[in-house]
């Protein structure tokens, strides 16, 4: 991560250097989604990449104005790691003999619209981009988007534990939580949970044994417990922010040379409880294997919280007092 004398310099996704007050008021200057080029075309994601390629090239020529007159032979396409619900492609064109320009094409996975509110996602992206988060949206098509390419590597779960990276994630998440997205500021967590439960309760499987096991699940009982949990959480009056809601390692990227951290993929972004977003991030320490022995201990959590609150010295002082008392008990 470079020598200890070097400091992190990233506003996630662009290092625009915007101050906190600008981040709090990004709703006004953000570009309208109507200004982003759109296409009614779609790509069959079930096809192998070579068969998809002509369609992808045509889409890029349609949506990226600078590429509209290029010959198809100028394009190269490769897959990008990090996607879970989507297929990510890097599309590049040669610019002279020594340089090239690239974009990312994100193809929505099959049936992801059952759990992802694409309209909500596309509404938020321009405002998050204006605040310095994520890639710049270049175009929208029927089952995906085209965005600027981020030159960085995807983090692993173990990377998130590294103290300097954890500190930067915390600082950037605090800035992310200040972005103002137009619309209702009501927390969407419970609406989304109940929507998922409703869809899950009617799933059918071709495997008879799997179907029998699935029918043993009492979704009514689960729904009642979720309602009880919602009622209890309402008593906390927890702060509500625009949350990422999916801050796993695959949605964090790092340019090691510039020591710049990026948040990406805002598919699940919505107004939600600040504590939920942080706790959800901590859950991601367990990785895809869900090894919750890797869940961060109190010292790691305190390190995160101190950096999240780093621009509020009085709250850090109060937090340090509380954490010291906690350790002595």
């Amino acid at each position: 991560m470079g020598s200890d004398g070097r400091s992190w310099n990233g506003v996630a996704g662009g290092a625009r250097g915007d101050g906190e007050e600008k981040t709090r008021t990004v709703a006004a200057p953000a570009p309208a989604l109507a200004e982003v080029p759109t296409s009614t075309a779609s790509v069959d994601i079930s096809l192998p990449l070579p068969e998809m390629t002509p369609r992808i090239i045509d889409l890029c020529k349609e949506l990226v104005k600078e590429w509209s007159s290029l010959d198809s032979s100028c394009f190269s396409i490769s897959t990008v790691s990090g996607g879970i619900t989507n297929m990510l492609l890097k599309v590049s064109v040669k610019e002279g003999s020594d340089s090239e320009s690239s974009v990312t094409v994100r193809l929505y996975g099959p049936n992801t619209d059952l759990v992802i509110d694409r309209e909500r996602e596309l509404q938020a992206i321009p405002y998050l981009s204006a605040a310095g988060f994520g890639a710049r949206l270049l175009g929208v098509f029927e089952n995906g988007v085209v965005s600027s390419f981020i030159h960085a590597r995807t983090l692993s779960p173990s990377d998130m534990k590294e103290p300097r990276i954890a500190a930067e994630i915390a600082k950037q998440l605090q800035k992310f939580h200040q972005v103002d997205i137009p619309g209702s500021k009501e927390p969407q967590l419970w609406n989304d949970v109940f929507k998922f439960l409703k869809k899950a309760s009617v799933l059918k499987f071709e495997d008879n044994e799997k179907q029998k096991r699935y029918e043993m699940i009492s979704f009514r009982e689960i729904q009642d417990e979720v309602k009880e949990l919602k009622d209890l959480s309402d008593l906390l009056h927890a702060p509500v922010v625009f949350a990422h809601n999916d801050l796993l390692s695959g949605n964090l990227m790092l340019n090691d040379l510039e020591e710049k951290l990026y948040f990406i993929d805002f598919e699940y972004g919505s107004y939600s409880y600040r504590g939920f977003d942080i706790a959800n991030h901590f859950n991601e320490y367990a990785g895809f294997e869900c090894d919750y022995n890797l869940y961060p201990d109190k010292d790691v959590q305190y390190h995160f919280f101190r950096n999240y609150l780093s621009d509020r010295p009085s709250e850090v002082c109060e937090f340090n007092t509380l954490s010291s008392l906690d350790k002595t008990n």
Side-chain angles (χ1 to χ4, degrees):
M1 295 311 305
S3 65
D4 291 340
R6 294 182 66 183
S7 61
W8 289 88
N9 67 349
V11 166
R16 289 172 173 79
D18 296 340
E20 179 181 336
E21 287 305 309
K22 195 169 194 179
T23 302
R24 288 183 182 277
T25 57
V26 297
L33 185 59
E35 298 173 6
V36 177
T38 61
S39 171
T40 58
S42 63
V43 178
D44 185 352
I45 197 170
S46 68
L47 295 174
L49 183 58
E51 293 183 32
M52 252 191 249
T53 294
R55 188 68 156 171
I56 297 293
I57 292 174
D58 287 344
L59 264 173
C60 288
K61 291 170 72 172
E62 179 182 356
L63 296 173
V64 183
K65 183 173 66 174
E66 296 83 357
W67 292 359
S68 60
S69 61
L70 294 178
D71 188 83
S72 296
S73 62
C74 298
F75 290 77
S76 62
I77 301 177
S78 59
T79 56
V80 179
S81 63
I84 298 175
T85 56
N86 306 294
M87 181 176 188
L88 301 178
L89 302 174
K90 177 183 179 182
V91 181
S92 303
V93 297
K94 285 288 186 181
E95 293 182 337
S97 57
D98 300 322
S99 64
E100 66 177 23
S101 60
S102 303
V103 300
T104 299
V105 173
R106 177 156 57 103
L107 299 170
Y108 302 150
N111 300 318
T112 52
D113 58 312
L114 296 177
V115 294
I116 295 170
D117 187 333
R118 296 295 180 190
E119 183 177 348
R120 187 169 71 189
E121 177 195 8
L122 291 174
Q123 180 196 28
I125 286 176
Y127 297 95
L128 294 168
S129 179
F133 291 97
R136 185 164 56 91
L137 186 63
L138 301 177
V140 179
F141 55 98
E142 186 66 23
N143 63 327
V145 294
V146 179
S147 58
S148 59
F149 186 80
I150 295 176
H151 295 275
R153 66 178 176 89
T154 304
L155 295 188
S156 67
S158 60
D159 286 324
M160 298 192 302
K161 296 180 180 179
E162 204 279 316
R164 295 183 73 197
I165 295 179
E168 186 63 14
I169 294 171
K171 293 173 184 176
Q172 295 304 327
L173 186 58
Q174 193 269 346
K175 294 177 181 177
F176 188 94
H177 285 166
Q178 294 182 60
V179 179
D180 179 25
I181 306 297
S184 171
K185 303 298 192 287
E186 291 297 313
Q188 297 301 305
L189 172 63
W190 303 112
N191 293 338
D192 289 342
V193 170
F194 288 126
K195 180 179 72 175
F196 297 160
L197 275 174
K198 183 178 180 180
K199 293 183 184 298
S201 66
V202 295
L203 285 179
K204 299 295 180 183
F205 297 91
E206 293 182 3
D207 186 317
N208 289 332
E209 288 302 315
K210 184 180 291 186
Q211 183 65 34
K212 287 179 182 178
R213 292 197 301 273
Y214 197 72
E215 289 174 354
M216 294 174 65
I217 300 172
S218 173
F219 284 97
R220 170 60 62 184
E221 188 174 325
I222 294 173
Q223 182 165 304
D224 289 344
E225 291 186 7
V226 171
K227 286 180 178 177
E228 183 179 356
L229 186 60
K230 178 185 182 302
D231 292 340
L232 289 171
S233 67
D234 288 343
L235 300 176
L236 298 174
H237 303 292
V240 174
V241 297
F242 190 83
H244 187 286
N245 293 326
D246 194 29
L247 207 57
L248 74 164
S249 60
N251 287 336
L252 293 163
M253 301 185 73
L254 179 66
N255 183 310
D256 292 290
L257 184 62
E258 299 178 5
E259 294 192 329
K260 194 179 297 182
L261 181 73
Y262 299 83
F263 287 8
I264 63 169
D265 287 3
F266 311 122
E267 294 178 313
Y268 296 99
S270 70
Y271 276 93
S272 189
Y273 304 105
R274 180 179 63 181
F276 171 82
D277 210 18
I278 295 172
N280 183 68
H281 172 64
F282 287 163
N283 276 331
E284 299 298 351
Y285 278 54
F288 299 131
E289 293 76 26
C290 296
D291 181 359
Y292 288 103
N293 293 315
L294 301 176
Y295 192 88
D297 60 27
K298 284 187 176 180
D299 286 339
V300 175
Q301 292 180 45
Y302 290 155
H303 173 71
F304 189 96
F305 296 145
R306 289 189 187 95
N307 282 279
Y308 184 94
L309 298 171
S310 59
D311 66 339
R312 308 177 207 175
S314 61
E315 292 187 40
V316 172
C317 183
E318 181 181 352
F319 175 79
N320 285 336
T321 301
L322 291 172
S323 60
S324 297
L325 291 172
D326 181 55
K327 289 181 180 181
T328 58
N329 292 333

